[in-house]
Amino acid sequence: MGWRRSGVGKALALLALAFPLWEWGSCWGLIQGSGELEKSPRSDPGPWEVLHRHRRSWVWNQFFVLEEYTGNEPLYVGKLHSDVDKGDGKVKYVLSGDGATSIFTIDENTGDIHATKRLDREVQAYYTLQAQAVDRLTNLPVEPRSEFVVKVQDINDNEPKFADGPYLAGVPEMSPLGTMVVQVAATDADDPTYGNSARVVYSIIHGQPYFSVEPKTGVIRTALPNMDRETRDQYVLVIQAKDMVGQMGGLSGTTSVTVTLTDVNDNPPRFKNYQFTVLESLPTRSLVAKIKAVDADIGSNAEMDYRIMDSDGSGVFNVSTDEDTQDGVITLLKPLDFETKSSFSLRIEATNRNIDTNFLSLGPFSDTTSVKVTVQDVDEPPVFSAPLTKMVVSEDARVGTSIGRVSAHDPDTSSNAIRYSIDRNTDLERFFNIDALSGVISTAKPLDREVNSVHNLTILAIETQDPVQIGKGITLVTVLDINDNAPVFATDYETLLCETTTPGQVIQTVSAVDKDEPPSGHRFYFTLAPSVAGNPNFTLRDNKDNTASVLTKRGGFLRREQPVYLLPVLITDSGSPALSSTSTLPVRVCDCDSDGVALSCGAVAYTATGLSTGALLAILSCIITLLVMVLLIVTMRRRRKQPLILEEERDIRENIVRYDDEGGGEEDTEAFDMVTLRNLNVIRDPNVRRDVTPDTPTFYHYPPASRQSFKTLPDNVVFREFIWERLKDADVDPTAPPYDSLQTYAFEGSGSVAESLSSLESLSTDSDQNYDYLNNWGPRFQKLADLYGNGDGDTLYDS
């Protein structure tokens, strides 16, 4: 089988025929009889070997197809032809493999191959196909299957692209010419092995004349020396990459490169002169002012240190660096005084910390400035000549004694007059006074060193023209001691004396204390009081060290004879004049064991069996407990006698209280129960429960005209009319609860209208009492009226 192509294919075919047959086989490969493609390794055989090669029936070649074909007709690829094909139509060509029928088609009669789709080499560079010639009738192969390759031929259809763009780069300012900045790289998707479609060259479109780019490598370098960051610190370059070695018709791509000039320390600091005004009352360590040395550099290259080189106020000011702003901070070290010095001149230097030795020629990297500080006068409070004044006074000083003088002045130029006073918060008891004009301090009360030995006074100095301006001074008044306190025992001694004590034995050592504090120290003298100087029991020995020892003169002390001895001791101090006092030392006689330890002291109880202290305490506790129990029982019995009135059992009754009557009997009664006067003979409905209040209570109301105002009635009729009205209301009210009660009337008094209601004497037939008025008391008293009345009178109600 041979192969044929039109156009480029025919040219290639003619070129192939020009080679010897062996060269053709070694270049394109041959198909063995088996029909499988074998790509033999390339070799250089001799001519004799070529003459002995067998002719093969199927010859194939590599087909080429241009990518991105845009024609309307299918693109002709090539032609396959078998030597078996005699042109009589008995042979049919069949194509299979990568892209067969979908991309490539073959004419089964002629063997022409066409591409039906647009191909892209960057998507797939070649296709492997298999061709076979078969008998049209039997479909049996007449030639073995052969494999060939259709290679997509590249065209320049892809522009270069910068995969890492856009770029950011930096280069130090003042760099020499040709300093490398950054390298850019562009890639082209076209075939680098075919033509110049993927061969890229670089050029700079924007960024000249400051930077340049190497055409082949893409390395960007500085094109100008000594570029200054302080003039311009950033540049934006546009770099172009063009294929086809930059020839016309090539495709191109661009990217941006932002180049930043990094700072170097090539600028020294620069000052300007400063002038400030501060108040003389400014506290120390306060901020006076801030100065700034301007440095065009940035970052660590702009860091600087400040120092005072010269000043007419040594040690008054200090300067330091603010690390955040690189300002020079001037602070005050000593107080200012306008009256002493009203202005200061300073010379301050600023020096770069990090100096680059490459730029020493641009130095020096420091600068100085003059700073003038003017002190502004303020109205200051008075100042004491001595902030602390010490004075002394004797505690026996008489009231009004002058003990010293304080002095203050106005530091301002106006020199206003000053008045003095004592801050009474420091002299609450007002022991001292001060003269407002002279400042002389004197005593106002008697002093007592033993109560307060030092008085800490705050003295106020106030300007007369401006009382707001107040100066303060401290005066310490020390009260000097005098001998005005007699010595006494150092503690309350309790001396125990054993009955077995022998004569001459020390039973107690005493010492003394004195509230006074003599300059030479205390010296006390001890003796027995004259009244007991010759007693036969004890003696006193002064130890000459402010202590004394008490000794026994005899032995054989007995508690039954005398349980306690009182020994007066006379103590004298060494003051001038000397003071003395008598302190009594109690000596208790005790029963001691063999080691001299006291077992019991004091008087002996004359009983057959003695009780110990613990037993006495137990008996006393029992007595107290019994007393408490008796008190509790009495209290509980009293509470039981008091009636318990429960809230739910209380009866709400209507009361009449009179306050203007001081008579006896019922006229002196504070309250009257009206409910018991209800008529018991009123006809009640048997169906109505009397112990339950109906849901709809009904009350009988008399016409208002029938009621007479009680204010118009005499005093002795008021009560009777009131009861009458209430009785009528109760008698006609069927819903009133049945309050049945028994009332006892012991004595009603002469003021009662009904007089005595007692029936104790009702059996007496000779009673001359007239009970006709009971007929007027309503149905409830009708029974009494019938029994005791005449029976002739008419009642108000019909029964």
Side-chain angles (χ1 to χ4, degrees):
M1 179 180 291
W3 61 275
R4 298 173 184 158
R5 296 184 59 180
S6 62
V8 177
K10 292 180 179 180
L12 293 174
L14 293 175
L15 183 60
L17 292 175
F19 288 97
L21 182 60
W22 61 269
E23 187 65 22
W24 177 268
S26 65
C27 182
W28 299 106
L30 298 175
I31 300 299
Q32 300 296 332
S34 63
E36 296 297 327
L37 178 64
E38 294 183 1
K39 186 176 291 186
S40 62
R42 185 181 182 91
S43 61
D44 295 325
W48 299 107
E49 284 184 274
V50 175
L51 293 176
H52 287 86
R53 288 191 178 189
H54 298 284
R55 179 181 179 275
R56 300 189 178 180
S57 61
W58 187 285
V59 179
W60 69 277
N61 200 352
Q62 189 176 38
F63 293 94
F64 292 89
V65 179
L66 287 176
E67 67 170 334
E68 304 294 345
Y69 173 72
T70 59
N72 295 326
E73 298 294 332
L75 177 64
Y76 180 76
V77 177
K79 183 180 181 66
L80 297 178
H81 184 72
S82 174
D83 294 340
V84 180
D85 186 6
K86 303 301 183 178
D88 53 2
K90 294 181 178 181
V91 177
K92 181 175 67 173
Y93 297 95
V94 179
L95 187 66
S96 63
D98 190 10
T101 68
S102 60
I103 298 176
F104 301 100
T105 61
I106 188 170
D107 190 324
E108 63 179 11
N109 297 319
T110 63
D112 293 334
I113 301 173
H114 291 83
T116 60
K117 291 184 179 181
R118 180 178 178 180
L119 302 181
D120 188 355
R121 188 203 68 84
E122 287 71 36
V123 175
Q124 187 167 347
Y126 64 91
Y127 297 86
T128 302
L129 300 172
Q130 293 84 32
Q132 192 172 27
V134 299
D135 187 273
R136 185 180 296 273
L137 297 177
T138 64
N139 282 333
L140 296 176
V142 297
E143 290 281 357
R145 178 176 298 181
S146 180
E147 186 176 79
F148 63 95
V149 174
V150 178
K151 185 175 182 181
V152 181
Q153 188 174 0
D154 183 52
I155 65 173
N156 190 19
D157 61 341
N158 291 278
E159 71 277 4
K161 294 181 179 180
F162 293 90
D164 299 330
Y167 295 85
L168 297 176
V171 63
E173 64 172 333
M174 310 300 292
S175 296
L177 179 66
T179 301
M180 178 179 174
V181 179
V182 69
Q183 183 177 12
V184 298
T187 57
D188 196 316
D190 293 326
D191 189 0
T193 63
Y194 179 77
N196 295 324
S197 297
R199 295 182 61 185
V200 178
V201 294
Y202 301 94
S203 62
I204 183 168
I205 296 178
H206 181 73
Q208 296 174 333
Y210 307 102
F211 298 92
S212 63
V213 61
E214 294 180 359
K216 294 183 178 181
T217 63
V219 175
I220 299 174
R221 301 182 183 274
T222 57
L224 290 179
N226 302 327
M227 285 190 291
D228 190 3
R229 184 200 67 84
E230 287 73 34
T231 302
R232 182 178 177 183
D233 62 348
Q234 195 174 81
Y235 299 84
V236 179
L237 314 180
V238 178
I239 304 299
Q240 176 182 266
K242 189 173 183 180
D243 59 12
M244 300 297 293
V245 200
Q247 297 176 2
M248 184 176 296
L251 303 178
S252 63
T254 60
T255 187
S256 64
V257 180
T258 301
V259 180
T260 301
L261 297 184
T262 58
D263 185 57
V264 297
N265 193 6
D266 60 338
N267 292 279
R270 290 291 179 262
F271 263 127
K272 66 178 181 178
N273 294 330
Y274 295 91
Q275 185 170 354
F276 303 102
T277 300
V278 296
L279 297 176
E280 65 170 329
S281 60
L282 187 69
T284 57
R285 299 296 177 183
S286 297
L287 173 66
V288 175
K290 287 186 177 182
I291 59 177
K292 178 76 173 181
V294 179
D295 193 328
D297 299 322
I298 59 175
S300 60
N301 296 319
E303 294 179 356
M304 61 190 71
D305 294 317
Y306 296 86
R307 68 185 183 97
I308 298 177
M309 300 182 63
D310 188 19
S311 174
D312 58 357
S314 178
V316 178
F317 300 97
N318 180 54
V319 64
S320 59
T321 303
D322 187 334
E323 297 299 336
D324 295 329
T325 62
Q326 295 301 312
D327 291 339
V329 180
I330 302 175
T331 55
L332 182 65
L333 297 181
K334 294 181 180 179
L336 301 175
D337 187 4
F338 173 82
E339 289 72 24
T340 303
K341 189 173 180 61
S342 60
S343 65
F344 296 88
S345 296
L346 298 87
R347 192 160 65 92
I348 298 178
E349 180 187 48
T351 305
N352 276 139
R353 291 180 185 172
N354 307 305
I355 298 177
D356 193 338
T357 56
N358 296 324
F359 303 100
L360 290 177
S361 59
L362 301 178
F365 287 86
S366 63
D367 195 17
T368 60
T369 185
S370 296
V371 178
K372 185 176 181 181
V373 180
T374 302
V375 181
Q376 183 177 351
D377 186 26
V378 296
D379 192 5
E380 298 174 278
V383 178
F384 282 87
S385 57
L388 176 61
T389 305
K390 296 182 179 180
M391 301 179 183
V392 295
V393 60
S394 177
E395 66 174 322
D396 63 345
R398 304 174 66 179
V399 175
T401 301
S402 297
I403 60 175
R405 181 177 181 272
V406 294
S407 176
H409 68 282
D410 185 3
D412 300 318
T413 55
S414 58
S415 187
N416 293 322
I418 295 173
R419 295 180 62 86
Y420 300 94
S421 65
I422 297 176
D423 185 355
R424 291 305 176 184
N425 291 324
T426 61
D427 186 24
L428 296 176
E429 298 184 14
R430 296 180 177 267
F431 284 108
F432 302 94
N433 287 329
I434 187 171
D435 187 271
L437 299 179
S438 64
V440 175
I441 300 176
S442 59
T443 60
K445 285 183 179 181
L447 303 177
D448 188 354
R449 188 204 66 83
E450 286 71 37
V451 175
N452 193 353
S453 60
V454 177
H455 296 266
N456 190 343
L457 306 179
T458 298
I459 309 301
L460 306 178
I462 307 171
E463 289 186 14
T464 56
Q465 299 297 327
D466 187 5
V468 178
Q469 300 298 329
I470 302 175
K472 294 184 179 181
I474 304 298
T475 298
L476 294 180
V477 180
T478 303
V479 182
L480 300 179
D481 183 44
I482 63 170
N483 192 23
D484 58 345
N485 291 278
V488 295
F489 276 155
T491 184
D492 293 333
Y493 294 102
E494 184 178 5
T495 304
L496 302 181
L497 176 63
C498 293
E499 291 180 325
T500 59
T501 301
T502 60
Q505 186 174 346
V506 176
I507 61 174
Q508 184 68 60
T509 299
V510 296
S511 62
V513 293
D514 194 333
K515 293 183 180 179
D516 297 323
E517 292 184 1
S520 59
H522 290 290
R523 177 67 178 93
F524 300 118
Y525 304 95
F526 299 88
T527 60
L528 291 178
S531 60
V532 296
N535 75 92
N537 300 313
F538 306 98
T539 184
L540 184 68
R541 182 181 64 200
D542 194 337
N543 297 324
K544 308 300 183 181
D545 59 354
N546 289 341
T547 64
S549 299
V550 180
L551 299 86
T552 58
K553 282 187 176 182
R554 66 179 180 90
F557 292 94
L558 297 176
R559 287 188 297 158
R560 292 184 177 181
E561 294 180 358
Q562 186 171 347
V564 179
Y565 294 87
L566 300 180
L567 186 64
V569 179
L570 180 64
I571 309 172
T572 306
D573 61 18
S574 59
S576 178
L579 297 179
S580 63
S581 67
T582 300
S583 298
T584 300
L585 177 66
V587 180
R588 297 169 60 86
V589 182
C590 301
D591 180 19
C592 302
D593 59 11
S594 59
D595 295 328
V597 178
L599 299 178
S600 59
C601 301
V604 179
Y606 294 95
T607 57
T609 57
L611 295 177
S612 63
T613 304
L616 293 175
L617 292 176
I619 294 173
L620 183 59
S621 301
C622 292
I623 294 174
I624 294 175
T625 304
L626 291 174
L627 290 176
V628 172
M629 293 178 64
V630 171
L631 290 176
L632 290 175
I633 293 172
V634 172
T635 304
M636 294 177 64
R637 293 188 64 183
R638 287 183 177 179
R639 289 185 177 178
R640 289 179 181 177
K641 291 181 179 181
Q642 295 178 359
L644 300 177
I645 302 176
L646 301 178
E647 291 294 329
E648 58 270 22
E649 294 178 0
R650 290 181 180 177
D651 184 16
I652 303 175
R653 304 176 184 276
E654 298 174 351
N655 299 325
I656 298 177
V657 180
R658 294 191 62 178
Y659 300 94
D660 57 346
D661 189 2
E662 296 179 358
E666 289 185 353
E667 294 180 356
D668 197 35
T669 303
E670 294 182 356
F672 297 92
D673 187 4
M674 302 302 174
V675 181
T676 59
L677 302 180
R678 289 177 179 160
N679 193 344
L680 301 178
N681 298 324
V682 176
I683 300 175
R684 296 183 176 90
D685 185 359
N687 297 327
V688 180
R689 292 185 58 183
R690 302 299 295 168
D691 57 341
V692 178
T693 302
D695 293 337
T696 308
T698 58
F699 299 95
Y700 177 82
H701 298 281
Y702 294 96
S706 65
R707 293 177 180 261
Q708 187 177 6
S709 176
F710 295 141
K711 295 182 180 180
T712 61
L713 299 176
D715 292 339
N716 59 351
V717 186
V718 171
F719 182 65
R720 183 175 59 189
E721 292 298 323
F722 182 83
I723 291 177
W724 174 249
E725 294 290 339
R726 294 303 182 202
L727 283 174
K728 289 191 293 184
D729 290 341
D731 291 337
V732 298
D733 185 10
T735 64
Y739 281 99
D740 298 328
S741 61
L742 175 64
Q743 301 292 333
T744 301
Y745 299 92
F747 177 72
E748 289 76 19
S750 60
S752 175
V753 176
E755 296 182 354
S756 177
L757 299 180
S758 176
S759 60
L760 296 178
E761 298 179 356
S762 60
L763 298 178
S764 177
T765 56
D766 56 349
S767 175
D768 57 352
Q769 179 69 35
N770 185 9
Y771 295 99
D772 293 339
Y773 61 87
L774 292 175
N775 295 316
N776 299 327
W777 281 55
R780 293 191 178 187
F781 295 90
Q782 189 61 43
K783 193 67 174 177
L784 291 175
D786 295 338
L787 292 175
Y788 297 96
N790 293 331
D792 298 333
D794 297 333
T795 60
L796 293 175
Y797 295 91
D798 295 333
S799 58

